[in-house]
Amino acid sequence: MSAVLEQFLQGLDAEIRAAGDWGEVAAYIPELARVDPAQFGIAIALPGGGMVAAGQSGQRFSIQSVSKVFSLACVLGRIGEQIWTRVGREPSGRRFDSILSLEDERGRPRNPFINAGALVTTDELLAGRVPKEALAEILGFLRAAAEDGDIHIDKAVAGSEAETGYRNVALANYLKSFGNLRNPPEITLGTYFHQCAIEMSCVQLARAGRVIAGLAGAPAMLSPVKARRISALMMMCGHYDGSGDFAFRVGLPGKSGVGGGILLVAPGRASVAIWSPGLNGYGNSQMGTYAAERLARETGWSVFG
Ligand code: GLN
């Protein structure tokens, strides 16, 4: 199986590079705007510890919103179901940084993967702790899940977003006005920007995702019910207003980030990390989405059979 998969990935890598249809890098975070869009990497962790990879699978990139999956896992471990009093579980049908539905929903974000929802999750992780401790928990989770201590925060990316993240500042203040932010907005925002600035390679991210995919041999860090629920949220909300299209094309739970990363979960079968920094109109990786679609078709891993 690995040899066939490896050959498929090599072909996919060559095809994507030849097509050259990369999309646009995220320009609103200056440090990400400098990244060359013409890059691609993919890594697939298999049950029992196998790993198949192609392209720039060892190159570190800014995981951005993919971090929201892991901050949610940490919060579920801390307070469990209580988090759902502060954030919903419904797709938003809007851009990741939209403020519109917050007004309708009176400050309770529709899900933990849009920015407003992730700010609430991070705010919860800060309960009774300083930002360094909350960030250490997220990093600790990722390092333990990946069984790799060499995972860090890129401070330049965090600083760059802090300088220009006016929309997130607006969202945090808005949440605060509805009483759904416990910490001062600047504290929650600073923690959130640092969490988004964690950098990982595809190989590291695929290894970390094993705990959500529930792969045999993965560290026992998430109960099956939590992994199932996180996967359901990834399917419904992981690609924002592009989630329906992603489910239609790929049929697997996935979470994207504006750094161009996608974590894809085939429950029990594989944890896949894909990276290509050029984005499509939804703010999701253009070639990453294409690669996910091709992989799902090739392997038959879609959860819909
Ligand atoms: N740090 C980014 C932001 O808040 C994350 C967004 C994303 O990856 N979609 O805008």
Side-chain angles (χ1 to χ4, degrees):
M1 149 99 150
S2 296
V4 177
L5 208 49
E6 172 115 43
Q7 204 174 17
F8 167 73
L9 293 188
Q10 298 296 348
L12 184 61
D13 177 50
E15 181 199 330
I16 284 174
R17 284 172 204 283
D21 181 18
W22 299 103
E24 309 272 326
V25 290
Y28 75 102
I29 301 176
E31 204 64 21
L32 297 185
R34 303 200 329 220
V35 175
D36 177 5
Q39 304 189 75
F40 172 73
I42 184 164
I44 305 179
L46 297 165
M51 172 73 66
V52 188
Q56 291 151 284
S57 59
Q59 168 82 42
R60 285 165 201 257
F61 60 92
S62 194
I63 68 167
Q64 292 295 321
S65 285
V66 181
S67 68
K68 295 169 181 173
V69 172
F70 297 96
S71 56
L72 176 65
C74 292
V75 162
L76 287 173
R78 286 197 146 237
I79 63 162
E81 302 285 307
Q82 282 175 55
I83 187 64
W84 307 120
T85 60
R86 298 185 63 188
V87 61
R89 309 191 286 252
E90 298 297 338
S92 69
R94 297 195 194 279
R95 280 190 66 78
F96 61 89
D97 54 1
S98 172
I99 205 165
L100 279 172
S101 47
L102 262 193
E103 174 74 18
D104 286 340
E105 319 255 329
R106 308 221 37 88
R108 180 173 175 262
R110 284 187 72 88
N111 68 65
F113 294 156
I114 51 173
N115 285 12
L119 283 164
V120 167
T121 313
T122 300
D123 189 63
E124 186 63 54
L125 264 188
L126 280 164
R129 299 194 296 186
V130 295
K132 229 173 143 175
E133 293 168 305
L135 290 166
E137 182 171 350
I138 303 174
L139 274 174
F141 189 101
L142 283 166
R143 288 171 182 162
E147 296 177 287
D148 184 340
D150 193 15
I151 296 171
H152 308 278
I153 293 171
D154 182 335
K155 297 241 167 63
V157 171
S160 173
E161 185 166 11
E163 273 171 31
T164 56
Y166 300 111
R167 250 169 206 271
N168 285 318
V169 172
L171 289 169
N173 279 289
Y174 214 65
L175 288 165
K176 187 79 179 169
S177 79
F178 281 110
N180 198 9
L181 210 66
R182 301 217 178 97
N183 296 280
E186 61 278 13
I187 298 290
T188 303
L189 282 162
T191 311
Y192 169 78
F193 292 147
H194 279 79
Q195 145 196 343
C196 288
I198 293 171
E199 49 169 23
M200 291 170 80
S201 68
C202 287
V203 169
Q204 290 176 322
L205 187 57
R207 285 177 63 80
R210 293 174 304 162
V211 300
I212 300 162
L215 296 194
M221 295 173 63
L222 269 184
S223 67
V225 67
K226 285 198 183 88
R228 213 157 43 230
R229 289 185 160 164
I230 292 171
S231 301
L233 287 162
M234 290 168 75
M235 177 68 95
M236 301 306 292
C237 319
H239 284 71
Y240 318 112
D241 47 342
S243 298
D245 191 54
F246 192 85
F248 185 87
R249 289 171 61 184
V250 181
L252 288 170
K255 181 74 207 83
S256 71
V258 289
I262 296 177
L263 175 63
L264 199 60
V265 162
R269 296 168 135 165
S271 162
V272 184
I274 310 175
W275 170 63
S276 182
L279 308 179
N280 62 23
Y282 298 117
N284 302 320
S285 174
Q286 176 148 304
M287 278 304 109
T289 305
Y290 175 76
E293 182 178 14
R294 289 282 312 261
L295 178 69
R297 203 183 311 152
E298 176 74 15
T299 56
W301 282 342
S302 162
V303 297
F304 303 111

